[in-house]
Structures are given as structure tokens and as C-alpha cells.
């Protein structure tokens, strides 16, 4: 069921508090799905969160009442040899907004942003997140490697599936 009332836009530094709140929620509720940890991210000052948003490209999906319902980041390679590669990071959608099409809309915005300057978009997804894997496969991403025991959360190791989409 598509929710056409979601407003997708690139976040700015002024969105830092809302971004940090939803990011912390994702890190706390699904620690196995992110390379970052709640314990590290909660210590970050809003000024640094704002700088991160301004440095890369972070998209947000907003409901009619302007609540931030989902986020996705994409960072383009900085050094000369990897400028052709963009990496998707930090995707999280509020449980109440799942199944509305917001994930697809956010992913589409990130892909469009990545292919403006890059020829390859990469991401990693924890092997236990079947819904995210299906989303990425539907968008054309191909699985190309498995990073065994990539993350350790509370003594449990999780594999990450590396995926890529070529222009």
C-alpha cells in the first residue's frame, strides 16, 4: 500500500535533532542492522550530527504532520580512486511507516543522488534482514559477497551481505 502523502527530501543541518532521534531509535531497536552503535551515537553533539548531514546526502520521509518517519544516507567516495562509488548507509523506517512504500521511495532518492556522479552504488545488509534484502533486490541490487561475522552484538556474530548496483 503506497502512501503518497510522504514528503521525501534531503535533510539539512536544521534537521539534526529529528535525524538523531530516529537514528538512535533504529540503533537501539535493531542493533544488529547497523555498524554504528547506540552507545557511541548517543554521545555525539548535535553540531557533529548536523555536520554529518551537511557533508553527505541524507534523505528523510516526512508524514503530513512533518514527523520524520524514515531516513537513508548515501556517501560518495572522496579519494580520486573511489569517487565513482557511492555507499548507502543508515536506512531506517519507523515500524508504523513500514509497508507504506516509504522504504522504496527513500531508496529511490538515494539511488538517484548516487548516480548523479557515481557509476556504482554499494551497501551491506545484515543477513537476517530478509525484508531489506528483498527491497534491495527489487531495486536491482545484486549480492556479490558475504562478510562473515561482520558485526558482533552482545556476543552474537552477524554476517553482512554486500550488494551493488551498477549504472
Amino acid at each position: 500500500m503506497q502512501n503518497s502523502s510522504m514528503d521525501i527530501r534531503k535533510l539539512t543541518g536544521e534537521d539534526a535533532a529529528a535525524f538523531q532521534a530516529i537514528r538512535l531509535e533504529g540503533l537501539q531497536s535493531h542493533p544488529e542492522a547497523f555498524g554504528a552503535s547506540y552507545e557511541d551515537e548517543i554521545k555525539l553533539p548535535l553540531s557533529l550530527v548536523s555536520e554529518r548531514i551537511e557533508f553527505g546526502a541524507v534523505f528523510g520521509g516526512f508524514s503530513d504532520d512533518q514527523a520524520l518517519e524514515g531516513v537513508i544516507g548515501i556517501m560518495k567516495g572522496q579519494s580520486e580512486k573511489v569517487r565513482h562509488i557511492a555507499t548507502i548507509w543508515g536506512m531506517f523506517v519507523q515500524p508504523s511507516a513500514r509497508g507504506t512504500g516509504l522504504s522504496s521511495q527513500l531508496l529511490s532518492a538515494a539511488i538517484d543522488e548516487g548516480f548523479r556522479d557515481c557509476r556504482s552504488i554499494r551497501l551491506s545488509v545484515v543477513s537476517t534482514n530478509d525484508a531489506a534484502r528483498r527491497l534491495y533486490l527489487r531495486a536491482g541490487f545484486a549480492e556479490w559477497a558475504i562478510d562473515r561475522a561482520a558485526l558482533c552484538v552482545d556476543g552474537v556474530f552477524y554476517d553482512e551481505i554486500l550488494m551493488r548496483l551498477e549504472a
Side-chain angles (χ1 to χ4, degrees):
M1 166 170 66
Q2 193 81 358
N3 183 348
S4 59
S5 63
M6 285 287 176
D7 177 33
I8 308 294
R9 68 170 171 82
K10 192 184 278 191
L11 301 184
T12 68
E14 293 176 7
D15 297 306
F19 172 75
Q20 187 178 44
I22 195 171
R23 179 149 172 83
L24 289 172
E25 180 180 336
L27 293 171
Q28 194 167 37
S29 61
H30 299 285
E32 76 288 351
F34 300 94
S37 74
Y38 176 86
E39 293 75 18
D40 289 338
E41 295 276 324
I42 197 164
K43 297 174 190 170
L44 297 178
L46 275 183
S47 60
L48 183 56
V49 174
S50 178
E51 284 177 30
R52 281 182 169 178
I53 291 170
E54 295 286 351
F55 178 73
V58 179
F59 293 89
F62 293 84
S63 62
D64 287 338
D65 63 358
Q66 291 306 299
L68 185 56
E69 299 290 340
V71 293
I72 190 170
I74 186 161
M75 179 157 297
K76 298 172 185 179
Q78 297 301 302
S79 70
E80 185 177 334
K81 292 182 180 181
V82 295
R83 281 195 187 119
H84 64 287
I85 300 169
T87 303
I88 288 178
W89 62 273
M91 183 165 192
F92 178 72
V93 172
Q94 296 278 9
S96 60
R98 294 177 189 163
T100 65
L102 177 57
S103 296
S104 295
Q105 291 175 286
L106 288 168
L107 183 58
S108 179
I111 290 169
D112 289 348
E113 177 73 18
F115 281 149
R116 286 184 9 181
D117 303 316
C118 299
R119 53 180 291 166
S120 180
I121 299 175
R122 301 184 185 175
L123 60 84
S124 63
V125 59
V126 68
S127 62
T128 56
N129 191 341
D130 291 331
R133 284 175 70 187
R134 286 192 303 272
L135 171 71
Y136 300 137
L137 289 168
R138 278 194 311 270
F141 282 83
E143 298 178 357
W144 63 278
I146 297 175
D147 188 355
R148 303 267 181 226
L151 300 175
C152 182
V153 180
D154 296 328
V156 177
F157 290 94
Y158 294 89
D159 296 345
E160 285 192 336
I161 297 171
L162 308 181
M163 303 180 80
R164 66 194 306 155
L165 179 64
E166 305 297 324

